[in-house]
Every structure is written in structure tokens, then in C-alpha cells.
Amino acid sequence: MTPPAATPQGSVVLSADALGRLMPMFLICDAQGRIDALGPTMKKILGGEAALGALLTSHFTLRVAQTEEGDSPDRVAGTRRRLHLVLRARPEIVLRGSSVELGEGRVLINLTFGIHLAEAVRAFDLTETDFAASDMAIELLYMAEANVAVLGELGALTSRLEMARRTAEAQALSDPLTGLANRRGLDQAIDAEMAALAQGGSAFAVAHLDLDYFKQVNDTLGHAAGDHVLMIVAQRLTRELRRGDIVARTGGDEFLLLLRGGTDEAALRRLGERLIHRLEQPYTFEGKTCQISASIGIAVSLPIEETADHGQQTQRLMEAADRALYAAKRGGRGRCVMAGEIGAG
Amino acid sequence: MYGLINKSVQAFLRDNYGSALWAQVAHRAGIGVEGFEAMLRYDDSLTEHLIDAACAVLDRPRNALLEDIGAHLVTFDTVRRLLRFGGVDYCEFLFSLNELQDRGRMALGDLELPSLFLIRQCGGRFLFEVRGAICGWGAVTAGLLRAMADDYGALALIEDQELAGHGAERVQVLLLDPEFNTDRGFALTAPRSRGAA
């Protein structure tokens, strides 16, 4: 290898080969704007030897801010700013670079892929050896890939945490035995309903349901039978109610129902009696049959002001349902009592 | 440190020995069977417990196990690809290892990879000094370098030389033939639809 000779003027003479090793994406154009020499990577991009002698403008369009002049090689040489050259064959790829005049109208242009690096690597099958050692291209590709990996892990982590959060939330609001809502779940639903009511939403009803003779099932057939009965009770209640209603198990054999389907007292009473009838159907557990009944107290929400204390209203409603339930129990069990009937609420 | 490192150990055990063995190791190390999250941070001592438990359950010496873990890392396409950015051939890759720690930081700001330092290179003989928070990174490195030699198709003898005292370990690579086998290949950009590693 002959070392580059420095001329007395301080300029450097380099062979095209040596220049290509330093700047694999260089181009030299002659005074007519024809490609005179080019680096190995540029040759790959422009389709090989055939690029030699071709007009620069047959391969590139010059992207400039002001367009009072055309895409002339003079213009390419004249600018001291960054050049942006769009590949005619692949307009999605824009090369960036700068140019210097070599004298006698010849221009040296050095180019690089800016943000279109990954597309270009794919489009022209480029490898590490196609880039100058001083080029940051490989680091950029490495970074992009590392970034995808890290973001992928973070994304997966986020969705796992979200799943865990939802599971925890569902568990915290439901009764593990029956899968019904628990007291907290029901309280949330009633709070929301009460807030909606204050905003002009529909009135609703709350039913307090207590199983009768359930203790005997536990005492005579054991807790497993009791659990089985509770699960069947949950199924029967859910089936009898409308989709928007909520059934919650709030104690051992105690249930609270949020009924959203209207506040007609006669209709609610019929619903309560139907529920009791359903729950009185026999239960079978390991070949043994048992029967229970239920008492229900129902209270209907009263119109409230937007500014009213929702908590207090909820408490009043629950107390009314409790009193109705107590009246039902006292009246001989297996009955449904409306809070309105006992003159309280 | 990042769960990423513990998760690699977990993946190694699960992939090679099955979920039941992993559950045994996790139990012994006092870790939930669900294991580690790559992007969460865990106490360094947990890594030691994990390795100790794995050695005990598998009845294998620590260094042999760590070497296998290092080699297993390369089976993850993401890891393999990120390492292959280091150089066109195995020799260039070996030189790039001086930058390993910094490259790790480039990917993940505070990732604590060990520092590798090429202290001597003569002909085909490369001597690395490995320093990391955990004793045994030298063995992990040796396993990883062995797997990467296979990946590049190079024939190399790799020796983990534990060094007493300094807290540093040494790994020697004897590169016999850089083109012994076919290179598994590496494209600078990964295919667009790539499954998770």
C-alpha cells in the first residue's frame, strides 16, 4: 500500500480504493454530473458497475427547502449545508451527507443513511463490512434491537401486573365459595347506583334474604352439604334475576340483592315469592335430599337530592330492608315482606 | 440487580430439566415458583441462593453449572443477536468484549454485566480478566464464549481459570480455526415478525 502523498498545497491524494475504505458510500461526479467513482457500499445500493458513468440525477433527487433551482450537480456542490438525496428506486430511503468541490467541476459527495438505516440494510442486504468502522450504524441497529427487547419485556411485565391486579380486585369483591359478590362488592355497586340516582338515574330496590332451616342442613348433613346448598342457592338466585341485578353473599346464609328492574311493589313481591319458591325446591347432596326456605325483606330507594349524603341514604335503605326481613321472619318464615307495608323506610 | 439475570438461571433450569426441578430449586432457594420478572430488581443475595440451590438439587459443581448457564444464554435469539453485533467474525467478537459492560448499559442503563478486559492477546491466544458483582462470572463467560464460537463456526479451546484473591477471574481462549464450521449467520436487521425469545 502506498501512503497518500501530501502535495505542497496541503491537499491529500487518495486512491478511489482507499477512499472507499474510509467512506464506503462516497460518490465523485464529473463536471457533467456523471458518476465518476463510487465507494463499494454505494455501488451495492446503485446496482453495481452500471452506476459508473450514469447521471447522478438518474439515481437521486435532491430534496431541498427552496426549489428555485433544479437538481443540478452545481447545486449539489454549491451547498455547504447538509444534502438530502432521495433514492429514485426507493423513495422511502433518504440519504444524508455533504459535498466538497475537487476542482475542474468535480464534486465529492459522502453519504450516510440517517433514520432510514434499518430499511436500507434490509433493502440492500447490507452487513457490518458495508459500513465504515467510524460509522455509528451498527451501534444504532444494536440500540434499536436492544430497545425492542427491553420494551417487549416491559410490555409483558405490564400485562402480567394488570392481570394480577384484576384478579386481586375480583377476589377482593367476590365470595370465594359461591363466586357471588361479597359485601364490599355489593356496597360498591349500591354506592354507584345511589350516585346515579342522585344524577337522575332510575330508582332501584334492595332485598335482604336469609335462608331458613339452613342450620339443620349443616347440623345433620355436615358442612360439605351446607356448602353445596349455598352454591346451588347462588345458582338459583342468579338464574331467577335479571342480568343487571347483583346477588351478594354477605354472611353465612345471608344474601343481599340489588334489583334494578323497577320499583313496582307488587312486581317486587312476586319476584320475592318466586325466589322463595325456587329456593324451597329440594337439594340433593351425595344421595341425600334436604329442603330449606328463605325469608326476604325488600326496600325501594327513595328519590334523593344531588347534594344529599349518599352514605346516609344507603344506610337508611339497608335498614328498611333489614326491618322488612325481620318482619318476614317474625311472620312465620318463608315469606316476602315489603318495607312499605310495615310503615317504615 | 435486574431480575433478567436470575430469570436466565430460571430459564436454564426449566428449559433443560423441566418445571418440576425448577419448582424444587425455587422452593429450596425460598423463591415463589413463578420465579423472576426480568425488569424488576431483586436483592443480589437472592442470586447466590438461587445458584446454591441449583447446585445442591442437581448435585453439580458451581463452575460447571455456571458454564452451562452461560452457554444457554446464547440459545435466546435476542441475546445471540445482540452479541453478534459485536463483530463480523469470532476474532472481532472477542475484541468487542472489552465493550460488553458498556454495551449492556447502552441497552439498559443500569444493567450490571461483568466487565471483561482483554489483558493479553498473542497469536490465537486471548486472555480475559472478568470482574463482576458475583463470583463465577468467569465461568458464565467461558460458557458463553464457547457457545458463541459454535455460533460463528470457530474452533476454540476455552478455559476458565479461577484466580484467587483479587476478585477477578480469568478466561483464556485459544482460537484454533476461525472458519472451522459454517457460521450460523447474522443479518443486521432481524426478520420483521419475530417470536418472543
Side-chain angles (χ1 to χ4, degrees), chain A residues 168-335:
Chain A
E169 196 175 75
Q171 280 167 353
L173 297 178
S174 62
D175 165 41
L177 176 68
T178 59
L180 297 175
N182 62 14
R183 181 73 204 218
R184 273 187 52 193
L186 186 91
D187 284 349
Q188 271 192 18
I190 290 185
D191 283 348
E193 208 61 26
M194 203 55 99
L197 181 62
Q199 304 278 329
S202 325
F204 59 95
V206 169
H208 196 168
L209 185 153
D210 195 83
L211 299 182
D212 296 323
Y213 318 113
F214 177 73
K215 195 172 173 296
Q216 279 96 312
V217 177
N218 263 343
D219 291 349
T220 57
L221 300 178
H223 284 284
D227 285 353
H228 175 74
V229 167
L230 287 172
M231 283 189 275
I232 303 299
V233 165
Q235 281 173 19
R236 289 181 184 179
L237 289 175
T238 311
R239 247 175 243 158
E240 286 300 319
L241 296 176
R242 281 162 298 238
R243 193 187 289 266
D245 296 340
I246 290 176
V247 189
R249 179 171 171 235
T250 52
D253 57 353
E254 210 182 301
F255 297 81
L256 269 170
L257 281 49
L258 170 63
L259 305 170
R260 289 171 166 140
T263 52
D264 178 68
E265 300 234 342
L268 285 168
R269 181 201 299 284
R270 279 199 301 279
L271 170 68
E273 281 163 358
R274 199 170 73 233
L275 291 176
I276 294 169
H277 179 71
R278 278 296 290 138
L279 297 183
E280 284 175 347
Q281 307 295 310
Y283 300 78
T284 315
F285 178 73
E286 288 177 355
K288 295 195 182 84
T289 305
C290 58
Q291 262 180 293
I292 57 167
S293 184
S295 300
I296 303 179
I298 301 178
V300 175
S301 68
L302 299 170
I304 60 165
E305 301 279 321
E306 204 173 319
T307 51
D309 179 346
H310 299 172
Q312 209 174 33
Q313 293 291 330
T314 304
Q315 203 186 338
R316 237 181 250 173
L317 182 64
M318 298 296 227
E319 281 166 6
D322 279 354
R323 276 196 301 276
L325 172 65
Y326 183 65
K329 286 265 184 200
R330 209 174 34 194
R333 306 187 180 188
R335 284 157 49 92

Side-chain angles (χ1 to χ4, degrees), chain A residues 56-84:
Chain A
L56 179 68
T57 49
S58 69
H59 284 291
F60 296 102
T61 48
L62 183 62
R63 199 166 77 181
V64 280
Q66 315 100 310
T67 49
E68 71 271 22
E69 292 169 69
D71 298 342
S72 72
D74 306 349
R75 193 164 160 69
V76 171
T79 179
R80 286 192 151 268
R81 282 170 302 151
R82 284 178 172 198
L83 281 174
H84 289 271

Side-chain angles (χ1 to χ4, degrees), chain A residues 6-253:
Chain A
T7 67
Q9 287 80 26
S11 54
V12 177
V13 179
L14 274 180
S15 69
D17 191 44
L19 192 58
R21 278 205 297 280
L22 284 176
M23 295 158 39
M25 285 176 66
F26 86 87
L27 279 165
I28 292 177
C29 290
D30 62 17
Q32 284 74 46
R34 293 185 182 277
I35 299 171
D36 201 27
L38 73 177
T41 305
M42 189 51 78
K43 203 176 277 179
K44 227 173 170 176
I45 296 165
L46 299 186
E49 296 292 336
L52 278 171
L55 280 171
L56 179 68
T57 49
S58 69
H59 284 291
F60 296 102
T61 48
L62 183 62
R63 199 166 77 181
V64 280
Q66 315 100 310
T67 49
E68 71 271 22
E69 292 169 69
D71 298 342
S72 72
D74 306 349
R75 193 164 160 69
V76 171
T79 179
R80 286 192 151 268
R81 282 170 302 151
R82 284 178 172 198
L83 281 174
H84 289 271
L85 296 179
V86 184
L87 267 175
R88 282 192 191 272
R90 288 188 178 265
E92 74 276 14
I93 298 174
V94 181
L95 286 80
R96 192 186 68 204
S98 51
S99 64
V100 287
E101 284 173 73
L102 298 176
E104 294 162 15
R106 280 157 54 90
V107 179
L108 167 65
I109 307 169
N110 190 29
L111 294 166
T112 177
F113 301 107
I115 53 171
H116 303 106
L117 176 64
E119 284 102 311
V121 165
R122 233 177 246 123
F124 305 113
D125 252 337
L126 302 179
T127 67
E128 293 101 313
T129 48
D130 290 318
F131 294 95
S134 55
D135 197 322
M136 293 293 285
I138 307 302
E139 280 75 11
L140 194 66
L141 292 170
Y142 167 85
M143 273 301 288
E145 201 151 326
N147 210 5
V148 167
V150 170
L151 285 181
E153 278 293 347
L154 282 177
L157 172 62
T158 308
S159 46
R160 276 192 292 272
L161 290 178
E162 176 58 15
M163 288 257 288
R165 191 188 67 79
R166 280 191 204 174
T167 309
E169 196 175 75
Q171 280 167 353
L173 297 178
S174 62
D175 165 41
L177 176 68
T178 59
L180 297 175
N182 62 14
R183 181 73 204 218
R184 273 187 52 193
L186 186 91
D187 284 349
Q188 271 192 18
I190 290 185
D191 283 348
E193 208 61 26
M194 203 55 99
L197 181 62
Q199 304 278 329
S202 325
F204 59 95
V206 169
H208 196 168
L209 185 153
D210 195 83
L211 299 182
D212 296 323
Y213 318 113
F214 177 73
K215 195 172 173 296
Q216 279 96 312
V217 177
N218 263 343
D219 291 349
T220 57
L221 300 178
H223 284 284
D227 285 353
H228 175 74
V229 167
L230 287 172
M231 283 189 275
I232 303 299
V233 165
Q235 281 173 19
R236 289 181 184 179
L237 289 175
T238 311
R239 247 175 243 158
E240 286 300 319
L241 296 176
R242 281 162 298 238
R243 193 187 289 266
D245 296 340
I246 290 176
V247 189
R249 179 171 171 235
T250 52
D253 57 353

